[in-house]
Amino acid sequence: MNESTGQPAASPQLIRVIFLCATGMSSSLIKNKVESLAASRGVPVEMEPIPSMSFDTAASANADVVLLGPQVRLQLPAVTATASRFGLPVEAIGFREYGLVDAPAILDQIIRLNDERREAATRSEPGSESGA
């Protein structure tokens, strides 16, 4: 319940993450840890690990954030070029965070990128202060 309005609190929106890695296999541990932590925090997150070579515009159309594993970080420019057509933020997970399976840091990165995407979308809407 929202105490200021007396209305039921809005459910957080699902954050859909495309998680690019070399083969889509080694990232399952990170996916499971991050999704579990997110659920415990009440933040719905769905991560889809896919091989970076399978990333395309169809995948981009169904995502909010794109993360790259550090082993494919050299593909960041090409992935960013594709994802930018959909207004999607793209970043690589740090070597340390990936290697330690630092779910809190990775979840914070996902939330930050999603917030930045939503703010950018709001600024570009007709009638917004900067878009008016």
Side-chain angles (χ1 to χ4, degrees):
M1 185 71 69
N2 184 322
E3 293 182 21
S4 65
T5 65
Q7 299 295 318
S11 297
Q13 283 193 305
L14 174 66
I15 304 172
R16 297 163 305 183
V17 181
I18 293 178
F19 182 22
L20 302 177
C21 53
T23 63
M25 293 170 33
S26 64
S27 51
S28 63
L29 180 60
I30 288 176
K31 169 191 168 24
N32 293 337
K33 292 247 186 190
V34 170
E35 286 182 347
S36 176
L37 177 62
S40 75
R41 289 187 182 177
V43 179
V45 170
E46 181 179 282
M47 295 182 77
E48 180 182 359
I50 61 173
S52 60
M53 300 310 283
S54 299
F55 180 70
D56 60 12
T57 57
S60 297
N62 296 313
D64 299 306
V65 172
V66 180
L67 288 180
L68 282 75
Q71 70 275 36
V72 296
R73 72 183 314 121
L74 293 177
Q75 296 175 23
L76 188 62
V79 170
T80 299
T82 299
S84 68
R85 296 192 305 241
F86 298 91
L88 300 178
V90 179
E91 279 187 6
I93 297 171
F95 286 103
R96 179 187 174 285
E97 291 78 11
Y98 190 89
L100 295 174
V101 190
D102 188 349
I106 296 168
L107 179 58
D108 289 346
Q109 182 179 19
I110 290 167
I111 292 169
R112 176 182 52 78
L113 289 169
N114 189 58
D115 288 348
E116 290 171 3
R117 178 192 60 80
R118 292 176 64 199
E119 287 173 19
T122 300
R123 284 192 305 268
S124 66
E125 288 178 359
S128 67
E129 286 184 32
S130 63

